[in-house]
Amino acid sequence: ITSFNNGSVTKIDTNGIGQFNTKLAYSDQLYGIDYHNNVLAVTSFKENKIYIINKNGTIIRSFGSKGTAQGKLFGPQGVAFDKDGNIYVVDSGNNRVQKFSQKGEFILSFGSEGSYENQFLNPTDLTISKNKIYITDTGNHRIAVYDIYGNFIKNTFVSSLVEPRGISSHGSRVIVSDSAKGIFIFDAESNATE
């Protein structure tokens, strides 16, 4: 669990028992978190960094700095690993998604500011399922879909989305948290909502 208020990450077990609480950021405003092969990636919105920590809460490395150039970040929010361990970051302030190696090496970026295909307005989170990336394009009230190489596939408009912010996936199901309307579950293949 990340804390936007105090810059810490807390691990709890399935019984709700705390395993560790680690202060990562010198400031506050941790946002996104994902897990892959015994490491966590955590975004620091205010510090414009990505922290890589082990399963015990120890910082292995961090990368990122403020800016608009490729590889730089401005208000990173959501983060997700692909099956190969690459890290995708919603670079919200720059209205794009960036892909990094687990060592923090820049690989690619996609998206720009706007309302058309391959554009975002305040994207906030992402999830990866079956080699597709689903991004909450909050300002455009939609879910944008890309492949893992940054190629635009489509924009998905789930009925009744107002302010999609959080997103997760399980199989072909994509779960969207809309801060104005609640939780929506839709099938990524048929686009039907549950």
Side-chain angles (χ1 to χ4, degrees):
I1 301 169
T2 58
S3 172
F4 195 75
N5 292 329
N6 71 13
S8 66
V9 173
T10 302
K11 177 182 177 183
I12 57 173
D13 66 18
T14 55
N15 296 313
I17 308 289
Q19 301 296 304
F20 69 76
N21 184 296
T22 302
K23 179 101 169 141
L24 294 182
Y26 293 110
S27 61
D28 49 10
Q29 300 183 353
L30 295 182
Y31 194 94
I33 188 168
D34 198 22
Y35 180 81
H36 177 75
N37 286 346
N38 294 318
V39 296
L40 292 166
V42 179
T43 60
S44 174
F45 183 85
K46 191 170 185 178
E47 292 183 317
N48 299 295
K49 284 188 179 192
I50 310 304
Y51 287 96
I52 305 299
I53 64 174
N54 68 20
K55 64 181 180 179
N56 299 316
T58 304
I59 298 172
I60 299 169
R61 77 182 66 79
S62 67
F63 61 91
S65 60
K66 186 175 182 178
T68 58
Q70 290 186 336
K72 302 286 186 179
L73 301 165
F74 185 53
Q77 293 191 35
V79 63
F81 286 101
D82 67 16
K83 62 183 174 67
D84 297 321
N86 296 306
I87 301 166
Y88 296 76
V89 179
V90 175
D91 186 8
S92 188
N94 288 318
N95 291 293
R96 65 185 175 192
V97 172
Q98 297 201 68
K99 179 180 179 179
F100 298 91
S101 74
Q102 206 170 106
K103 293 181 179 178
E105 301 157 326
F106 172 79
I107 298 172
L108 63 85
S109 71
F110 53 91
S112 62
E113 184 176 1
S115 298
Y116 296 104
E117 291 181 355
N118 201 33
Q119 293 185 321
F120 303 112
L121 284 177
N122 189 30
T124 52
D125 203 1
L126 71 154
T127 189
I128 300 173
S129 177
K130 298 182 180 182
N131 289 325
K132 290 183 182 171
I133 306 166
Y134 297 85
I135 303 153
T136 52
D137 186 4
T138 305
N140 285 319
H141 318 288
R142 64 189 181 197
I143 307 302
V145 184
Y146 288 76
D147 67 20
I148 59 172
Y149 306 104
N151 297 308
F152 176 80
I153 297 173
K154 65 181 178 178
N155 287 316
T156 299
F157 296 90
V158 177
S159 62
S160 303
L161 281 181
V162 175
E163 196 172 331
R165 297 197 57 84
I167 193 165
S168 184
S169 58
H170 182 72
S172 67
R173 288 185 173 165
V174 176
I175 301 100
V176 180
S177 171
D178 187 300
S179 60
K181 295 281 212 154
I183 303 293
F184 292 86
I185 301 171
F186 73 95
D187 186 288
E189 293 169 8
S190 70
N191 214 36
T193 56
E194 296 181 21

